[in-house]
Amino acid sequence: MRKKKKMDATTENGDHLPTEGRFTNSCIQARRKCQADPTCNATYHYLNSCASSISTSSPAEEPLVPEDCMEAAQQLRNSSLMSCTCHRRMKNQATCLDIYWTIHPARSLGDYELDVSPYEDTVTRKPWKMNLSKLNMLIPDSDLCLKFAMLCTLNDKCDRLRKAYGEACSGSRCQRHTCQRQLRAFFEKASEPHSQGLLLCPCAPTDQGCGQRRRNTIAPSCALPSEAPNCLELRHVCVSDPLCRSRLADFQTHCHPMDILGTCATEQSRCLRAYMGLIGTALTPNFVSNINASVALSCTCRGSGNLQEECERLEESFSHNPCLMEAISAKMRFHSQLFSQDWAASTFSVMERQNKNPALRPQPWVPTLFSCTLTLILLSSLW
């Protein structure tokens, strides 16, 4: 009997999807190694039982971890579990994140250390081709949000994922939990150029129709609470969920401003990915109006009492974050440039480069993350 050759899953563009074997040290792999060691396995099980004894006395505080649980975590300091990571598109992501937070019960969400995020960074450098000729069916002066929406519609995978969350998030009886799950699926599985184009499309300040389309991208009437809760209570809900806690840790890691000029702790592309990773969680951010690109959480700091300052820090990490604001503005400028080139030539290429050490060498933004070859081909079938 012949053995079936195991094939890696691929995206529509031929890119391999992340699998456990493609990581340096995924938490699922590390857990399997730990199971083979009786001492490590027993310690892990003890830590797992600690989860029920960890509590928070108020929404503003980090989990209070019993001392014996902290000692158990220290016993694993030489295990591969301590340096394991996950990926937001990996199979069994929930299991991986459960393992990560089990062995890091006291990891703080406010220290801005680069090893706090449970996610391993992977950056694809493969070119992504976008056929703009199909946009000729649109009115020439159509706004860019409409153009990026059309590009998604003309892409089978993007269109399928967008319709899925559109259906889940529509109607007067929408289920917020289902809507948010479908939103996460879209931003995890759709190609970044498509999802970022939809969410971060540039609009003229006077074009409120474009701005409204941009704000409605995440179906806020269903995905967001109808009445704004307290921000600290919302964070409390988030940190109680391993997925949301992970996305918040990732955001704080990569969107931490180094200075008032908007220099990110890591590359802007990673900040945008972390920001978009929060969409579909309890801490889903969105644009605040139709006339500008300011973003904020759907919560308030009213009623925070003596925790007012703590609450405002959380709220301002989105609404007044120079790193995030510049990353969003830079991506919108890039998207605008895509449609402002002279398309007389048959192709146009843009290579986005990474700043290898932004902390030491802050520099003006240049397009990052992917290279685009924009091919103009008139398709008679569209006319």
Side-chain angles (χ1 to χ4, degrees), residues 292-359:
N292 59 46
S294 299
V295 298
L297 294 173
S298 295
C299 59
T300 178
C301 286
R302 290 192 299 270
S304 296
N306 60 356
L307 299 176
Q308 182 73 20
E309 187 176 341
E310 174 75 12
C311 184
E312 289 177 355
R313 277 200 298 268
L314 172 62
E315 195 277 331
E316 290 176 0
S317 66
F318 290 86
S319 62
H320 292 82
N321 185 328
C323 163
L324 175 61
M325 292 167 63
E326 176 55 23
I328 290 175
S329 296
K331 181 58 68 172
M332 287 185 175
R333 290 196 298 270
F334 173 67
H335 286 158
S336 181
Q337 291 166 6
L338 290 180
F339 292 93
S340 63
Q341 304 296 327
D342 180 3
W343 301 117
S346 60
T347 61
F348 175 72
S349 299
V350 178
M351 172 62 76
E352 296 191 307
R353 297 175 292 167
Q354 294 286 351
N355 178 2
K356 295 182 180 179
N357 195 341

Side-chain angles (χ1 to χ4, degrees), residues 58-172:
S58 79
E61 295 183 4
E62 288 291 320
L64 300 176
V65 184
E67 187 175 347
D68 55 337
C69 295
M70 294 294 295
E71 292 176 356
Q74 283 296 311
Q75 292 177 21
L76 293 177
R77 63 185 179 274
N78 294 324
S79 166
S80 59
L81 280 167
M82 294 305 292
S83 60
C84 73
T85 56
C86 305
H87 193 285
R88 62 173 53 86
R89 296 182 67 192
M90 74 182 296
K91 200 173 181 181
N92 301 320
Q93 177 187 173
T95 301
C96 186
L97 293 175
D98 281 339
I99 296 171
Y100 179 89
W101 292 112
T102 295
I103 58 180
H104 296 294
R107 178 151 281 184
S108 173
L109 286 177
D111 290 340
Y112 306 114
E113 297 174 0
L114 295 184
D115 65 343
V116 168
S117 173
Y119 291 112
E120 174 183 336
D121 278 321
T122 56
V123 178
T124 177
R125 294 183 180 278
K126 290 188 177 182
W128 179 76
K129 294 183 178 181
M130 179 165 56
N131 190 340
L132 294 184
S133 65
K134 298 180 180 181
L135 295 180
N136 287 325
M137 68 174 63
L138 294 174
I139 300 173
D141 59 352
S142 298
D143 67 64
L144 295 191
C145 286
L146 190 58
K147 290 182 178 179
F148 275 109
M150 178 60 72
L151 285 173
C152 178
T153 300
L154 295 172
N155 179 274
D156 290 340
K157 186 174 185 180
C158 185
D159 186 47
R160 182 176 69 253
L161 292 168
R162 187 173 175 230
K163 284 180 177 176
Y165 85 73
E167 292 174 2
C169 301
S170 62
S172 58

Side-chain angles (χ1 to χ4, degrees), residues 88-89 93 183-190 243 247 277:
R88 62 173 53 86
R89 296 182 67 192
Q93 177 187 173
L183 272 172
R184 292 197 303 271
F186 175 81
F187 286 103
E188 288 175 6
K189 297 177 182 179
L243 176 65
R247 300 298 172 86

Side-chain angles (χ1 to χ4, degrees), residues 194-264:
H194 280 117
S195 60
Q196 289 186 353
L198 268 178
L199 184 69
L200 304 175
C201 49
C203 297
T206 55
D207 192 347
Q208 294 202 31
C210 177
Q212 185 176 26
R213 270 188 284 276
R214 183 170 62 194
R215 286 187 68 205
N216 288 338
T217 297
I218 66 164
S221 60
C222 182
L224 302 181
S226 54
E227 295 185 6
N230 182 273
C231 293
L232 293 179
E233 293 177 356
L234 206 59
R235 185 179 69 173
H236 185 65
V237 172
C238 178
V239 299
S240 300
D241 171 48
L243 176 65
C244 188
R245 181 181 177 91
S246 300
R247 300 298 172 86
L248 178 58
D250 197 48
F251 174 79
Q252 291 183 333
T253 295
H254 296 298
C255 293
H256 175 53
M258 301 280 290
D259 53 45
I260 62 173
L261 299 177
T263 306
C264 293

